[in-house]
Amino acid sequence: MITVKNNKSEIVVKDFSDRKIEYAFHDIDGTHSLIRDWPPVMSICLFDVIENGLPEDFDSPENAKRLISLAGTRILPETDDFCVKSAGLSALTQMEWAIRRSVQEGKIEVCCNQNTNAQIIERINNGEEYYDDLPETSEMNEMLKIQTPRLFKLYESVLNGYCRDKNLVEARENPEKFRVKGSCGFLEYLYENGVKNYFVTGAVVEKGMGMHEEVEALGYSIGKGELIEDIIGSTWTEKKPKDAVMKDLIKKLGISGENILVIGDGRAEIQAGVELSAVAISRLPESAEYQRELHKRLGTNVIVEDFTSKDFYNLFEVTE
């Protein structure tokens, strides 16, 4: 059994009460895995939608190749900034934001309430993923239902061609290169002391494919009683924000949020952890100044560069 203790060190940015930890919910991308260099890919995909709308063949292989060649080649202020601010949100929410921005710019024609559209864009910018309280037209809802998953699949295709596929091959040979420093040791430390680890992601999870495949390539065993009990994520068509994923998991396990660690680098998982009264740990490099300040405002308890420091391990005490 592990107890997490508020040692008042410099990595503790918000006080928390000492408590026993039974479960840990971890984000994957940027928290433990470096396989997906997703921001430049998402930025160009979203930028292209805002600028050009969604022509009938926007998700063609030819367009994917074009976007792969453009990813990371220039600064895109609006969408680069959005990728920073929206890290951790459901990918379907991020895709919806770009489509709504394109509607706002007049590049996509659809019958909609422009005031509602503007409000939802702003709410997504502020990290919200629920806005059913706002009136929306059936035409807008139907268009989003069809086009958002198509855009999501295009983004994944561009991501695969830009970095994911080649990094996955290399990760199988040299997993340490694509793990956040200290990741494997920390997961093993929790596992060996009775904490059950769950991976929670906004990516699509299909056994033997995608994120599931990446986790295995990094050397993390998955399954009941293994290092990682399970990976829970999204589908191509159903938007399920991380707070909903975590709440469902807590209900399924019959546990209290107070006995959970939530570890991540995105706003969604940290905000969910705070709302669940868990101990929230943000894994952010020192260079991520905006994200560090944002996570402090969200109420994270601890901010670390990686999982190796003495101060970090001094937060934990192994108890009987």
Side-chain angles (χ1 to χ4, degrees):
M1 182 70 72
I2 284 179
T3 297
V4 62
K5 309 192 95 175
N6 184 355
N7 62 10
K8 305 289 185 177
S9 66
E10 63 180 13
I11 64 173
V12 177
V13 296
K14 183 180 180 183
D15 286 336
F16 58 91
S17 60
D18 299 353
R19 80 278 304 270
K20 293 186 184 300
I21 297 299
E22 299 174 351
Y23 294 84
F25 297 169
H26 308 255
D27 173 57
I28 306 173
D29 273 338
T31 301
H32 289 286
S33 173
L34 302 174
I35 288 176
R36 296 187 175 207
D37 182 16
W38 65 269
V41 174
M42 182 167 287
S43 186
I44 189 61
C45 288
L46 303 189
F47 172 82
D48 197 63
V49 172
I50 296 170
E51 288 290 302
N52 300 313
L54 294 172
E56 183 53 39
D57 63 346
F58 77 89
D59 52 354
S60 67
E62 292 73 22
N63 196 38
K65 289 179 183 178
R66 179 181 69 88
L67 292 170
I68 290 167
S69 71
L70 292 173
T73 60
R74 64 190 177 105
I75 295 172
L76 303 170
E78 181 182 13
T79 51
D80 287 353
D81 182 62
F82 178 73
C83 289
V84 171
K85 291 180 177 178
S86 68
L89 299 186
S90 163
L92 287 169
T93 298
Q94 294 167 313
M95 302 301 124
E96 179 183 345
W97 174 85
I99 294 173
R100 287 184 175 280
R101 279 287 294 112
S102 190
V103 170
Q104 192 175 47
E105 293 294 322
K107 300 300 175 64
I108 296 174
E109 294 185 3
V110 62
C111 177
C112 73
N113 183 319
Q114 286 290 358
N115 183 53
T116 292
N117 192 49
Q119 288 184 67
I120 292 175
I121 289 168
E122 184 60 24
R123 285 169 70 163
I124 295 173
N125 278 328
N126 291 329
E128 295 185 45
E129 299 193 73
Y130 302 105
Y131 21 81
D132 293 341
D133 56 305
L134 294 175
E136 188 58 274
T137 64
S138 59
E139 291 88 346
M140 183 67 150
N141 284 332
E142 186 62 23
M143 185 271 290
L144 289 170
K145 182 180 178 181
I146 295 169
Q147 302 292 48
T148 305
R150 286 181 67 188
L151 181 56
F152 186 10
K153 290 179 180 179
L154 172 66
Y155 158 72
E156 288 281 344
S157 178
V158 177
L159 182 69
N160 289 343
Y162 179 73
C163 64
R164 187 262 182 188
D165 287 352
K166 63 184 178 183
N167 287 350
L168 182 62
V169 171
E170 192 174 350
R172 290 194 177 103
E173 299 296 322
N174 182 17
E176 193 63 29
K177 179 178 177 180
F178 295 94
R179 296 174 184 151
V180 169
K181 194 174 178 182
S183 163
C184 190
F186 177 49
L187 288 165
E188 289 175 345
Y189 173 76
L190 294 174
Y191 172 73
E192 289 167 0
N193 289 290
V195 177
K196 295 184 183 298
N197 294 304
Y198 285 82
F199 276 166
V200 177
T201 176
V204 172
V205 175
E206 297 173 323
K207 191 170 183 179
M209 300 173 63
M211 187 60 73
H212 198 282
E213 187 179 26
E214 292 165 37
V215 170
E216 290 181 321
L218 292 173
Y220 303 140
S221 57
I222 309 162
K224 190 171 179 59
E226 298 291 339
L227 183 66
I228 308 300
E229 285 280 317
D230 201 1
I231 307 176
I232 303 167
S234 184
T235 70
W236 292 115
T237 58
E238 180 188 6
K239 179 172 74 174
K240 194 165 186 181
K242 287 180 183 173
D243 64 335
V245 172
M246 292 184 190
K247 287 174 183 176
D248 285 352
L249 186 53
I250 283 175
K251 184 177 180 180
K252 177 183 176 181
L253 296 170
I255 59 176
S256 166
E258 293 183 355
N259 300 114
I260 299 171
L261 291 179
V262 173
I263 304 102
D265 71 328
R267 67 185 302 158
E269 58 267 22
I270 295 303
Q271 186 166 357
V274 171
E275 291 174 355
L276 292 169
S277 300
V279 174
I281 299 176
S282 299
R283 204 301 296 179
L284 294 166
E286 290 186 7
S287 59
E289 295 179 6
Y290 172 84
Q291 293 95 320
R292 283 182 167 232
E293 287 305 313
L294 172 61
H295 284 216
K296 287 178 183 178
R297 294 198 301 271
L298 293 173
T300 195
N301 300 110
V302 176
I303 300 180
V304 293
E305 177 95 9
D306 54 41
F307 305 109
T308 61
S309 74
K310 184 177 179 180
D311 277 349
F312 180 62
Y313 274 95
N314 282 342
L315 292 171
F316 305 100
E317 180 180 294
V318 178
T319 55
E320 294 298 327

